[in-house]
């Protein structure tokens, strides 16, 4: 991997500090790669070349004076197009915001800039970040660099594709339904869904611009080519908003272990109700075998004291009110009518959305208590184990499928068609319990598609799941560039 485009952000920052390359040279290198390679992907959708070159020039001048802006001094990065970036078009793929240019950075973006990063562009997303595939009416479809006939995932699909293809040094994505983890899995990169609440989500669309409240379940987090970059980025991103920092401080604990053999590992790799495709399962099993060969004890029978179906149902009760909350009045009224008219025992994805998406606050309170009960069971589980290994989802990257509504789409698991919404179950555990989860590349299918592993950690112990991902790279392939990039 001699190409600069495939070095980690940590390595790039070190090269700038050591004067091996200038920030301006590195920016020009990424811009040249975007010009040459991005037309095949449509991952980077907006560029800010002149302002980025000016900042890179100033970064080089500052370094020449002996000034260091921070750990990302001079490193060119991109930002998901759902996260407000000052002076740079931010659309969330939503036509009414097609010309929106924020006046201020989201706090998360500002923290990366304060650490020295050079923001030079935005990456594509599905409309309002509401799909596992990345396409929208403004910028069109983004392709997976491993197979352009397939999606890179969503909603941080442009983010993960850009990192995999070596178009950016680091990415900032978001996740409420696996939107960091699924694209990381499908593109062969690293991604981290932080513990809920430790990285400010203000400035993310949705909500609409100007909103001060933050959604339940939703987080912002990094996507990168190494676990070390996830750790670096999390240290910069995590912490309270300024008005809360008057009193509150965040001190994330050190990882429980650094050496792979010291981790107490549980592996929940399949489920009778939500079966994993054999090609994905093979990579997961190979990883468990490699762990055992490295002296790690892996318990494949251990489970938190709940089923995947229970976790999923509680998650959906919390998710759909958020997703449907911004629906136009006539659409929401139709959901209410559909829920009221449905027979008591009837089940379908559409009815689940209608029932849970129009829940009353008293229903949410019941669901939230159920969540807290499951969170307590997760906390008890992590007294005996340090990490819980899970699939990100059941399949490798799927072919593009833009049929509407989403319920018309299908995924294929072990040769059998399944509902598109079955991409939810495996990401639901970490999201619903507010726990950290790190996605790490572990191998490829026979069709040469990446497979990622989801490493769920204890609440507020983000550094433990990231440390495991970092150690895991010693016995797995880790990040590898896609062919042709």
């Amino acid at each position: 991997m001699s190409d600069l485009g495939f070095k980690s952000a940590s390595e790039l920052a070190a090269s700038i500090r050591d004067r091996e390359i200038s920030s301006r040279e590195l920016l020009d290198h990424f811009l040249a790669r975007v010009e040459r390679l991005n037309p095949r992907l449509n991952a980077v959708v907006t560029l800010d070349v002149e302002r980025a070159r000016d900042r890179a020039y100033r970064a080089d001048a500052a370094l020449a004076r002996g000034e260091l802006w921070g750990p990302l001094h001079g490193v060119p990065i991109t930002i998901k197009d759902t996260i407000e970036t000052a002076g740079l078009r931010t659309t969330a793929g939503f036509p009414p915001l097609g010309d929106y240019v924020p006046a201020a950075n989201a706090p998360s973006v500002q923290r990366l800039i304060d650490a020295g990063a050079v923001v030079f562009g935005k990456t594509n997303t599905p409309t309002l970040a509401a799909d596992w595939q990345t396409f929208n009416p403004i910028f069109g479809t983004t392709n997976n660099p491993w197979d352009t006939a397939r999606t890179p995932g969503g909603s941080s699909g442009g983010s993960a594709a850009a990192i995999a293809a070596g178009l950016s040094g680091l990415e900032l994505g978001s996740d409420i339904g696996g939107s960091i983890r699924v694209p990381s899995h499908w593109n062969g990169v690293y991604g981290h869904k932080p513990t809920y609440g430790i990285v400010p989500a203000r400035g993310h669309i949705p909500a609409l611009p100007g909103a001060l409240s933050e959604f339940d379940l939703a987080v912002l987090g990094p996507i990168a080519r190494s676990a070390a970059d996830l750790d670096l980025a999390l240290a910069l991103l995590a912490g309270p908003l300024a008005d809360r920092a008057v009193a509150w401080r965040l001190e994330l604990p050190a990882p429980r272990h650094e050496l792979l053999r010291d981790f107490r590992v549980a592996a929940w790799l399949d489920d009778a109700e939500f079966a994993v495709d054999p090609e994905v399962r093979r990579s997961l099993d190979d990883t468990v075998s490699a762990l055992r060969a490295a002296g790690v004890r892996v318990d494949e029978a251990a489970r938190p004291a709940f089923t995947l179906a229970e976790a999923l149902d509680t998650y959906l009760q919390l998710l759909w009110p958020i997703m449907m909350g911004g629906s136009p009045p006539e659409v929401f009224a139709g959901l209410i009518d559909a829920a009221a008219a449905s027979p008591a025992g009837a089940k379908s994805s559409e009815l689940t959305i209608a029932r849970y998406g129009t829940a009353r606050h008293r229903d949410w309170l019941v669901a939230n208590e159920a969540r807290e009960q499951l969170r307590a069971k997760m906390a008890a589980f992590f007294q005996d184990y340090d990490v819980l290994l899970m699939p990100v989802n059941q399949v490798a990257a799927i072919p593009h499928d833009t049929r509407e509504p989403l319920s018309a789409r299908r995924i294929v698991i072990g040769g059998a068609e399944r509902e598109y919404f079955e991409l939810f179950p495996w990401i639901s555990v970490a999201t619903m319990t507010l726990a950290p989860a790190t996605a790490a590349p572990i191998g490829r299918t026979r069709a040469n598609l990446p497979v990622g592993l989801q490493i769920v950690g204890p609440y507020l112990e983000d550094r433990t799941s990231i440390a495991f991902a970092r150690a895991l790279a010693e016995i797995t392939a880790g990040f590898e560039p896609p062919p042709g990039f």
Side-chain angles (χ1 to χ4, degrees):
M1 286 198 300
S2 58
D3 196 298
L4 286 168
F6 294 117
K7 290 187 178 293
S8 69
S10 305
E11 292 170 328
L12 296 174
S15 294
I16 292 171
R17 289 194 299 269
D18 295 340
R19 317 294 176 90
E20 295 172 357
I21 191 170
S22 69
S23 175
R24 181 70 177 266
E25 290 170 331
L26 185 56
L27 173 63
D28 285 343
H29 180 81
F30 278 121
L31 289 172
R33 288 187 63 82
V34 169
E35 182 178 8
R36 179 166 56 91
L37 300 170
N38 191 59
R40 295 159 57 185
L41 300 179
N42 192 36
V44 180
V45 291
T46 302
L47 290 172
D48 195 9
V49 175
E50 293 310 313
R51 287 201 309 162
R53 282 185 170 146
D54 177 68
R55 180 165 168 81
Y57 175 85
R58 289 186 286 111
D60 292 334
L63 195 61
R65 297 191 301 269
E67 298 175 12
L68 187 66
W69 290 348
L72 292 176
H73 185 108
V75 176
I77 71 169
T78 47
I79 304 292
K80 183 179 179 179
D81 194 36
T82 57
I83 306 171
E84 292 187 306
T85 311
L88 185 54
R89 186 183 183 196
T90 302
T91 74
F94 185 48
L97 295 177
D99 297 319
Y100 175 57
V101 178
N105 288 312
S108 54
V109 174
Q110 189 61 52
R111 289 175 183 184
L112 296 176
I113 291 172
D114 290 345
V118 176
V119 176
F120 72 91
K122 304 301 288 287
T123 50
N124 207 20
T125 180
T127 302
L128 294 176
D131 201 343
W132 290 295
Q133 299 180 71
T134 293
F135 64 95
N136 62 67
I138 300 175
F139 295 117
T141 299
T142 297
N143 300 321
N144 190 308
W146 287 88
D147 180 350
T148 55
R150 296 174 184 267
T151 180
S155 61
S156 307
S159 305
I163 292 299
L167 306 184
S168 175
L170 184 72
E171 252 288 343
L172 180 62
S174 60
D175 190 309
I176 193 173
S179 290
I180 288 172
R181 290 161 288 169
V182 171
S184 296
H185 160 43
W186 286 355
N187 289 271
V189 297
Y190 290 85
H192 184 67
K193 183 204 87 66
T195 294
Y196 175 79
I198 69 170
V199 176
R202 187 174 293 176
H204 183 272
I205 304 170
L208 290 178
L212 298 180
S213 60
E214 299 180 16
F215 291 143
D216 188 12
L217 306 175
V219 301
L220 304 186
I223 297 175
R225 286 181 286 271
S226 76
D229 283 358
L230 300 182
D231 195 50
L232 169 64
L234 184 67
L236 301 172
L237 292 166
L241 289 165
D243 59 344
R244 299 167 194 175
V246 172
W248 297 112
R249 300 290 184 272
L250 178 68
E251 294 182 9
L252 294 177
R256 291 186 179 186
H257 308 287
E258 297 282 358
L259 298 177
L260 203 55
R261 65 175 179 269
D262 293 335
F263 282 88
R264 299 171 298 170
V265 179
W268 186 356
L269 303 182
D270 217 330
D271 185 83
E273 191 167 349
F274 304 108
V276 175
D277 187 82
E279 283 291 288
V280 172
R281 180 62 195 266
R282 180 172 58 85
S283 288
L284 297 171
D285 288 340
D286 287 349
T287 300
V288 168
S289 295
L291 286 168
R292 287 181 171 139
V296 181
R297 289 193 297 175
V298 182
D299 188 340
E300 292 188 77
R303 301 285 185 272
F306 53 79
T307 66
L308 190 56
E310 288 176 301
L312 174 63
D313 188 61
T314 302
Y315 166 71
L316 294 178
Q317 290 181 63
L318 298 167
L319 175 73
W320 285 123
I322 299 169
M323 302 300 286
M324 297 297 106
S327 300
E330 63 276 11
V331 173
F332 196 77
L335 292 172
I336 292 174
D337 291 343
S342 62
K347 290 184 179 181
S348 71
S349 296
E350 293 89 343
L351 287 178
T352 296
I353 294 170
R355 289 166 178 161
Y356 291 166
T358 58
R360 298 179 180 182
H361 186 62
R362 68 192 296 267
D363 300 318
W364 183 90
L365 292 173
V366 171
N368 187 50
E369 177 58 28
R371 183 220 329 241
E372 291 303 317
Q373 295 290 333
L374 297 179
R375 290 187 66 222
K377 292 175 180 179
M378 279 284 276
F381 178 82
F382 281 120
Q383 291 178 7
D384 298 318
Y385 299 93
D386 300 313
V387 292
L388 173 61
L389 309 184
M390 308 181 80
V392 175
N393 61 31
Q394 301 98 309
V395 292
I398 61 174
H400 295 294
D401 182 356
T402 59
R403 288 176 290 178
E404 297 290 347
L406 270 63
S407 58
R409 303 177 193 172
R410 294 292 182 268
I411 57 174
V412 178
I413 300 173
E417 283 196 351
R418 305 287 292 186
E419 282 197 347
Y420 190 65
F421 287 111
E422 286 197 21
L423 292 171
F424 270 134
W426 291 100
I427 61 89
S428 67
V429 173
T431 306
M432 177 270 302
T433 60
L434 314 180
T438 305
I442 56 169
R444 293 196 294 277
T445 68
R446 290 182 178 88
N448 206 36
L449 298 174
V451 175
L453 174 69
Q454 182 177 200
I455 306 159
V456 181
Y459 179 69
L460 292 172
E461 296 192 52
D462 296 59
R463 290 196 172 112
T464 291
S465 63
I466 293 175
F468 185 85
R470 191 171 188 169
L472 186 64
E474 300 169 5
I475 61 168
T476 60
F479 169 76
E480 294 181 307
F485 287 89

